[in-house]
């Protein structure tokens, strides 16, 4: 049942190319148009939406943050992302022109369900991105976009995260198609998304050094993660995986925040993962993140740098360079998070911990 792997988590990490490919399957018709037939809303209704609010918890909320960058950039619709348990008790400004999108692997997370119910009471339209057919959250939402990651058994989410991000991209592109009538850009992103599974595959084949780094870090007390733009939620997800699996204090920061406080944490030997954007990104943040690496290195940090193949600028300041294949800037999280998952899994294993069932956690949190 573990497909030859020692743990469900390891199997699920290796399932990720399929999780992405299967989530993309059957979303386009013969003309290349996206068809999402379970949206529960007409195209006219979708055109009337003036704001989107994404509600989710934990890893699913980080998928939501990635979605915000992509959907705002492509569809030019304002997107807020909020932890479901905060949204529910905050008196949010929501009406019938708001599209509330919940993201949940299990479809049973009570905090997320309560947020969806609250959104409906306020008159919003609701869509759920969910991995579990017939679960409560999609049943109570107006529409659903199912992720096709297959059952996720390990408590720590991996393949569901990639599938959630993929589904959010599809939703964003669908909104472009419906609201902006710009089909060309859509085809280009879809084509690159189709290429992602093979890139994850090749990335997974090159993880030996990451595993080695993890095994030598079993005594580490704290690890920091820096990222910017879509790399920021990836940094937070990398930190969450490490907390959950290896019980190591870990924090993810937006790299731009460094000088506003967190740089005080840097002392000699402090390991810091840095998720570097592509040198070709149109947002032009590559140079800024390379400067951040330089700054923390000068203060003694041990820099573990996740950078695109061919990015030589990082090399002088990196103690380790972990390479990821090239892709479009907004799609990079589907690749950059993978080494961080493998790192947490391997470190947890090196400490002799229960990877699939970390202490104090349940697979789905059905209480508020
Ligand atoms: C982290 C993890 C949790 C879940 C969160 C939401 O590895 O698994 O943070 O992502 O509890 O769960 P779902 O997606 O089922 O609503």
């Amino acid at each position: 049942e573990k497909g030859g792997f020692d743990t469900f988590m390891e199997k699920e990490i290796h399932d990720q190319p399929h999780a992405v490919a299967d989530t993309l399957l059957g979303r386009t018709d013969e003309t290349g148009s996206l068809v999402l037939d379970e949206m529960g809303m007409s195209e006219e209704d979708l055109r009337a939406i003036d704001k989107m609010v994404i509600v989710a918890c934990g890893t699913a909320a980080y998928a939501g943050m990635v979605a915000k960058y992509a959907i705002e950039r492509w569809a030019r619709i304002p997107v807020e992302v909020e932890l479901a348990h905060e949204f529910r008790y905050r008196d949010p400004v929501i009406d019938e022109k708001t599209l509330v999108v919940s993201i949940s692997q299990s479809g049973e997370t009570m905090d997320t369900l309560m947020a969806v119910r609250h959104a409906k009471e306020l008159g919003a339209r609701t869509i759920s991105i969910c991995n579990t057919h017939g679960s409560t959250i999609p049943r109570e939402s107006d529409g659903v976009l199912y992720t096709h990651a297959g059952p996720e058994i390990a408590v720590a989410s991996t393949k569901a995260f990639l599938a959630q991000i993929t589904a959010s991209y599809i939703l964003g592109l669908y909104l472009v198609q419906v609201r902006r009538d710009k089909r060309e850009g859509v085809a280009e992103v879809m084509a690159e998304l189709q290429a992602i599974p093979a890139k994850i595959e090749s990335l997974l084949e090159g993880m030996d050094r990451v595993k080695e780094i993890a095994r030598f870090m079993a005594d580490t007390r704290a690890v920091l993660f820096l990222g910017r733009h879509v790399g920021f939620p990836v940094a937070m997800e990398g930190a969450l995986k490490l907390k959950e699996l290896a019980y190591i204090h870990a924090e993810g920061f937006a790299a731009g925040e460094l000088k506003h406080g967190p740089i005080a944490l840097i002392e000699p030997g402090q390991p810091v993962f840095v998720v570097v954007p592509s040198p070709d990104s149109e947002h032009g943040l590559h140079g800024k993140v390379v400067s951040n690496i330089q700054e923390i290195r000068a203060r003694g940090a041990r820099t573990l740098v996740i950078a695109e193949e061919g990015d030589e600028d990082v090399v002088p300041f990196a103690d380790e360079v972990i390479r990821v294949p090239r892709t479009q800037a907004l799609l990079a999280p589907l690749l950059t998070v993978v080494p961080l998952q493998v790192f947490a899994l391997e470190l947890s294993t090196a400490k002799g911990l229960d990877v699939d069932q970390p202490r104090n956690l349940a697979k789905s949190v059905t209480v508020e």
Side-chain angles (χ1 to χ4, degrees):
E1 49 179 2
K2 292 178 190 154
F5 294 102
D6 291 339
T7 61
F8 281 109
M9 186 183 172
E10 191 180 5
K11 171 184 180 286
E12 288 162 7
I13 287 174
H14 284 84
D15 279 347
Q16 293 186 120
H18 285 293
V20 172
D22 292 350
T23 298
L24 289 169
L25 213 61
R27 306 291 187 185
T28 43
D29 66 14
E30 57 286 349
T31 72
S33 287
L34 284 161
V35 270
L36 303 185
D37 41 20
E38 290 180 280
M39 290 291 281
M41 284 178 75
S42 66
E43 297 198 352
E44 200 182 331
D45 289 344
L46 276 175
R47 277 190 284 270
I49 292 297
D50 64 8
K51 177 171 87 169
M52 188 191 278
V53 179
I54 300 177
V55 291
C57 303
T59 291
Y62 298 144
M65 285 181 63
V66 173
K68 173 185 166 79
Y69 286 88
I71 296 173
E72 287 192 337
R73 175 80 183 96
W74 294 336
R76 310 307 299 153
I77 177 170
V79 182
E80 293 170 23
V81 187
E82 190 154 9
L83 294 169
H85 33 91
E86 286 296 318
F87 171 85
R88 167 75 182 80
Y89 294 99
R90 186 180 57 84
D91 201 6
V93 182
I94 300 290
D95 59 25
E96 64 289 342
K97 287 201 200 145
T98 311
L99 179 63
V100 173
V101 179
S102 59
I103 306 182
S104 175
Q105 188 285 128
S106 61
E108 302 295 348
T109 300
M110 186 56 75
D111 288 316
T112 309
L113 175 61
M114 295 307 274
V116 171
R117 286 185 182 158
H118 190 56
K120 285 176 77 176
E121 278 163 21
L122 296 172
R125 311 300 298 252
T126 54
I127 292 177
S128 111
I129 290 177
C130 185
N131 197 48
T132 312
H133 271 262
S135 56
T136 310
I137 294 172
R139 271 195 283 123
E140 294 205 13
S141 303
D142 298 322
V144 59
L145 207 171
Y146 279 112
T147 49
H148 298 292
E152 194 179 60
I153 310 291
V155 165
S157 188
T158 54
K159 63 177 180 173
F161 179 62
L162 265 63
Q164 286 161 350
I165 294 174
T166 304
S168 318
Y169 293 145
I170 295 170
L171 177 61
L173 295 173
Y174 186 68
L175 291 172
V176 173
Q177 180 179 292
V178 170
R179 295 165 56 95
R180 306 197 76 210
D181 216 22
K182 273 200 344 190
R183 289 265 304 281
E184 269 163 55
V186 173
E188 207 184 314
V189 182
M190 283 303 285
E192 180 55 24
L193 276 172
Q194 301 289 356
I196 291 282
K199 293 183 183 186
I200 300 172
E201 205 86 65
S202 79
L203 181 55
L204 282 169
E205 279 162 21
M207 287 290 98
D208 289 350
R209 181 62 191 150
V210 171
K211 292 180 188 171
E212 206 167 68
I213 297 168
R215 286 196 291 270
F216 280 111
M217 283 174 67
D219 296 327
T220 303
R221 294 176 53 91
V223 181
L224 305 181
F225 296 76
L226 298 180
R228 202 159 172 164
H229 196 259
V230 287
F232 171 34
V234 170
M236 291 199 291
E237 171 63 4
L240 180 60
K241 289 283 96 86
L242 200 58
K243 293 174 206 179
E244 285 183 291
L245 292 161
Y247 316 151
I248 290 176
H249 185 82
E251 290 302 329
F253 296 105
E257 269 303 280
L258 204 54
K259 58 182 173 299
H260 301 287
I263 198 163
L265 289 169
I266 305 296
E267 57 187 17
Q270 171 63 53
V272 185
F273 275 96
V274 186
V275 183
V276 183
S278 164
D280 307 327
S281 309
E282 58 178 15
H283 52 57
L285 289 169
H286 175 261
K288 291 199 159 64
V289 177
V290 174
S291 303
N292 291 142
I293 305 172
Q294 192 172 1
E295 283 156 12
I296 58 173
R297 185 73 165 339
R299 288 161 179 81
R302 176 161 181 247
T303 53
L304 311 168
V305 174
I306 299 178
E308 198 177 86
E309 278 159 11
D311 177 357
E312 296 305 319
D313 299 344
V314 298
V315 173
F317 315 114
D319 289 292
E320 301 283 348
V321 184
I322 300 154
R323 293 294 180 187
V324 293
R326 297 168 70 91
T327 188
Q328 293 173 13
L330 286 163
L331 309 189
L334 294 174
L335 302 174
T336 52
V337 78
V338 174
L340 299 179
Q341 298 168 335
V342 172
F343 175 77
L345 164 75
E346 199 65 23
L347 191 35
S348 172
T349 307
K351 289 178 81 166
L353 301 173
D354 187 339
V355 170
D356 287 334
Q357 301 240 356
R359 69 184 178 199
N360 307 342
L361 293 171
K363 182 62 184 162
S364 91
V365 185
T366 53
V367 290
E368 248 194 293

